Amino acid sequence: FIRKMAKKQIVKGRNFMLWIDSKTIALSTGCDIQIQANYTDSATKDSGVWNNKELDTVSYSGTCDSLMSPDEKDATLQLIHSALINHVIAGDELPVSFGIPSNISTDGIPETSDWEAPTAGVYTGKCKIISVDIGAPVNGNATLKVSWEGCAKLTPIAPTA
């Protein structure tokens, strides 16, 4: 699941996963996560020509793209479109985490029935799902794009040695 290359390791995108409410999003094809620090100017006359900055806020957000799953039995292990839409409507605050699954095999697939969130080497926080976009082209697969925003501290859980 990690390709070794001249003493460097590369994480394959297919092995980096997102969990919302302790579940992956069904039939996920990709995810993007943004972590942003916002700074305020703190330069004074004593700073001279040099600019000074102080950390103001830190935010995180992301999106997940997937194919649309009509199968309600997927809902026990993964988030499907109806559950995602219900979370938007309810304004639920949900746990979010991202990292490399703890049960990934050397083939890059889960060793059990679904991906298990890592217990170390992961970031965890809380989020609100802010949108679910559904695409349904006449000659193609129906797709979902889920957008979420962090609403609590993002906490790293360090890898164990």
Side-chain angles (χ1 to χ4, degrees), residues 22-60:
S22 303
K23 297 179 180 182
T24 56
I25 295 176
L27 305 177
S28 176
T29 59
C31 67
D32 293 305
I33 298 165
Q34 299 81 35
I35 302 165
Q36 181 175 340
N38 299 304
Y39 293 88
T40 55
D41 189 2
S42 61
T44 67
K45 292 178 182 182
D46 297 329
S47 302
V49 298
W50 300 105
N51 196 8
N52 288 336
K53 298 284 184 180
E54 289 183 0
L55 182 62
D56 187 20
T57 60
V58 178
S59 62
Y60 57 101

Side-chain angles (χ1 to χ4, degrees), residues 82-158:
S82 57
L84 293 163
I85 292 168
N86 290 341
H87 286 308
V88 172
I89 293 167
D92 295 331
E93 184 175 287
L94 304 166
V96 63
S97 61
F98 47 91
I100 297 173
S102 60
N103 66 330
I104 194 167
S105 70
T106 55
D107 297 354
I109 57 175
E111 293 174 341
T112 56
S113 61
D114 197 29
W115 300 109
E116 294 174 8
T119 55
V122 65
Y123 287 86
T124 63
K126 301 248 182 211
C127 75
K128 291 192 180 234
I129 298 173
I130 57 169
S131 70
V132 176
D133 301 327
I134 298 173
V138 69
N139 291 321
N141 294 322
T143 60
L144 289 176
K145 183 176 192 106
V146 178
S147 299
W148 56 272
E149 290 183 0
C151 56
K153 182 179 181 179
L154 185 63
T155 305
I157 300 175

